[in-house]
Amino acid sequence: MSVSSARGYRKNSAKGVGAALAYRIKEERWRRSFLTFLREAVQIEDRDVKGLAIPFEVWPAQEQVARDFVTERLVVALKAR
């Protein structure tokens, strides 16, 4: 490995560490708030179009249900077919 490539490797490693730290911070935010996780991390994949994924948009009723799932010990939900 040449000196220039070794410098580039170290430089890229530092960027990788910064990106990893930023992701760990995001993970911690997601762990603390299920709604934040839904808004920032969840995507809906369209299987008909390869590679297309759109962010999950949380509706007000879904927000309330998500809060109930997190705060209540037991939740009864009607599952439609």
Side-chain angles (χ1 to χ4, degrees):
M1 179 184 290
S2 69
V3 175
S4 61
S5 63
R7 282 190 201 132
Y9 177 76
R10 277 185 255 139
K11 187 176 180 182
N12 291 337
S13 294
K15 287 181 182 179
V17 169
L21 180 60
Y23 190 77
R24 294 279 308 264
I25 291 169
K26 279 185 183 182
E27 283 182 329
E28 182 62 25
R29 276 200 342 257
W30 297 339
R31 187 184 68 76
R32 292 175 185 232
S33 172
F34 180 60
L35 283 173
T36 302
F37 172 75
L38 286 177
R39 289 184 187 114
E40 295 179 3
V42 176
Q43 295 184 341
I44 305 299
E45 181 181 307
D46 185 350
R47 292 189 169 235
D48 295 333
V49 181
K50 187 175 182 177
L52 179 66
I54 58 172
F56 181 72
E57 294 179 19
V58 183
W59 295 352
Q62 291 169 323
E63 282 188 25
Q64 184 58 47
V65 170
R67 282 190 194 99
D68 290 343
F69 282 151
V70 170
T71 59
E72 301 297 328
R73 184 171 167 264
L74 298 172
V75 177
V76 177
L78 176 64
K79 180 185 172 288
R81 294 196 322 150

